[in-house]
């Protein structure tokens, strides 16, 4: 079954994942040889979309009994983790640039809230439909 | 992995920076502890950070920790002070290789990094609270 929230549910998951990756970059700002990473958002969301399209016909978990419930495996972001290209590499091999990571973190937080707003809008829409606007 | 990975990651960052601040405090406090031989003289201590790797995925997702604390290899300061009661038989005392300017710069960097982790934590907390409020 397709989620009533459409792509926004996937988007929220990816934003959440990206948040922890960017937080990790910032936490490792002083770690020698640490390479900053980020998610390839475009590929990631396309993958989520493809998965959603595919799920309608092919569930991830095999059903060997008629009483089994349809279920899907979690999506992973591992394949879409890319290394950041630093503008100024530092002597100790660390590629975290705090100002860039902070900007990305903020951007991601706002996008997360935008996704939440979309979902909230859907929920209130459904609620209005259920109560007949009363 | 935890339900709230971001909070954990930032917490590890904060504790690592705290250890860094502690070593800086120790270095500064010992900046004037003189000694009569080079073996007993205090040497500047520096923490080396390491990324905590996630065992399941092999990805660097678990935050940061202090791998080890190393002593600075900078030469000790030898000072000719024959009147000092701590002087050795040649009239020299040894001062630690603590560079106060370097330590101060490190301290500022550590406190900035600590603040960054707090900001990340606060933002993450707000997002989580809004997620809990979803649909209300």
């Amino acid at each position: 079954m397709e989620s009533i929230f459409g792509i926004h549910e996937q988007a929220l998951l990816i934003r959440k994942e990206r948040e922890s990756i960017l937080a990790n970059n910032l936490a490792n700002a002083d770690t020698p040889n640490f390479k900053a990473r980020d998610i390839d958002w475009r590929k990631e969301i396309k993958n989520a979309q493809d998965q959603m399209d595919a799920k309608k016909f092919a569930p991830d978990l095999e059903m060997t009994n008629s009483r089994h419930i349809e279920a899907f495996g979690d999506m992973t972001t591992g394949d879409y983790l890319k290394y950041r290209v630093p503008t100024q590499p530092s002597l100790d091999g660390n590629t975290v640039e705090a100002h860039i990571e902070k900007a990305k973190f903020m951007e991601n937080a706002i996008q997360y809230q935008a996704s939440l707003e979309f979902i909230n809008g859907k929920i209130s829409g459904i609620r209005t439909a259920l109560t007949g606007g009363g | 992995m935890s339900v709230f990975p971001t909070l954990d990651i930032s917490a590890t960052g904060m504790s690592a920076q705290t250890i860094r601040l502690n070593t800086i405090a120790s270095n500064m406090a010992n900046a004037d502890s003189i000694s009569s031989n080079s073996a007993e003289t205090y040497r500047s201590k520096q923490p080396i950070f390491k990324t905590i790797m996630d065992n399941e995925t092999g990805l660097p997702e678990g935050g940061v920790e202090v791998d080890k604390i190393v002593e600075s290899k900078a030469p000790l300061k030898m000072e000719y002070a024959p009147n000092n009661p701590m002087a050795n038989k040649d009239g020299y005392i040894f001062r630690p290789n603590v560079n106060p300017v370097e330590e101060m710069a490190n301290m500022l960097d550590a406190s900035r990094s600590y603040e960054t982790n707090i900001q990340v934590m606060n933002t993450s907390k707000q997002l989580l609270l809004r997620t809990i409020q979803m649909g209300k």
Side-chain angles (χ1 to χ4, degrees):
Chain A
M1 193 187 84
E2 195 189 341
S3 163
I4 48 167
F5 303 120
I7 199 71
H8 300 302
E9 191 185 334
Q10 310 287 335
L12 212 56
L13 284 171
I14 298 166
R15 301 294 188 205
K16 186 92 204 73
E17 187 91 18
R18 188 168 183 227
E19 185 198 63
S20 65
I21 288 160
L22 294 177
N24 191 49
N25 287 347
L26 282 165
N28 281 285
D30 300 308
T31 309
N33 287 316
F34 179 81
K35 308 289 183 230
R37 306 177 78 149
D38 200 354
I39 285 179
D40 190 339
W41 165 257
R42 214 171 281 277
K43 274 193 187 160
E44 191 64 47
I45 202 74
K46 173 146 192 333
N47 184 42
Q49 219 149 17
D50 290 350
Q51 257 186 357
M52 246 172 39
D53 291 344
K55 267 180 191 174
K56 287 175 201 158
F57 311 104
D60 284 5
L61 296 183
E62 202 177 333
M63 287 184 285
T64 53
N65 189 299
S66 58
R67 278 174 292 180
H68 280 173
I69 300 165
E70 220 177 87
F72 311 109
D74 276 341
M75 55 170 203
T76 56
T77 46
D79 299 343
Y80 300 99
L81 262 183
K82 297 274 185 288
Y83 289 104
R84 175 105 59 232
V85 179
T87 49
Q88 276 185 323
S90 67
L91 276 174
D92 64 357
N94 186 306
T95 64
V96 180
E97 285 163 304
H99 49 287
I100 291 172
E101 297 301 330
K102 273 185 191 171
K104 296 268 179 209
F105 189 83
M106 198 171 69
E107 177 197 323
N108 187 60
I110 291 165
Q111 285 165 339
Y112 184 91
Q113 294 189 38
S115 293
L116 267 183
E117 281 304 310
F118 277 120
I119 290 174
N120 276 335
K122 279 262 185 189
I123 291 172
S124 63
I126 291 159
R127 188 171 281 155
T128 309
L130 285 174
T131 58
Chain B
M1 199 160 78
S2 151
V3 192
F4 306 127
T6 312
L7 295 180
D8 286 351
I9 289 167
S10 301
T12 61
M14 283 162 73
S15 69
Q17 296 296 343
T18 307
I19 293 172
R20 190 172 168 207
L21 279 170
N22 282 343
T23 60
I24 292 167
S26 161
N27 291 344
M28 290 297 269
N30 282 292
D32 290 320
S33 56
I34 55 169
S35 160
S36 54
N37 60 65
S38 64
E40 281 174 21
T41 313
Y42 181 87
R43 283 171 166 78
S44 174
K45 294 186 193 334
Q46 309 289 340
I48 305 286
F49 287 4
K50 193 182 88 180
T51 308
I52 303 172
M53 301 298 265
D54 189 342
N55 285 334
E56 279 173 40
T57 60
L59 296 172
E61 275 191 45
V64 66
E65 66 185 346
V66 172
D67 187 22
K68 57 192 169 200
I69 293 174
V70 295
E71 290 191 330
S72 168
K73 284 188 178 139
L76 297 171
K77 286 170 218 152
M78 245 172 106
E79 191 180 311
Y80 185 62
N83 294 331
N84 194 309
M86 292 293 283
N88 64 8
K89 61 182 191 313
D90 297 324
Y92 284 97
I93 56 168
F94 292 85
R95 290 187 180 277
N97 57 0
V98 176
N99 182 342
V101 180
E102 208 173 88
E103 298 296 337
M104 287 300 283
N106 273 335
M107 188 185 79
L108 284 177
D109 189 44
S111 82
R112 287 272 187 280
S113 297
Y114 191 90
E115 279 171 26
T116 301
N117 281 307
I118 291 179
Q119 283 165 9
V120 168
M121 232 178 190
N122 272 332
T123 307
S124 179
K125 186 187 85 181
Q126 276 169 11
L127 293 183
L128 285 169
L129 288 177
R130 278 177 200 218
T131 312
I132 291 166
Q133 294 280 311
M134 185 161 56
K136 279 185 187 162

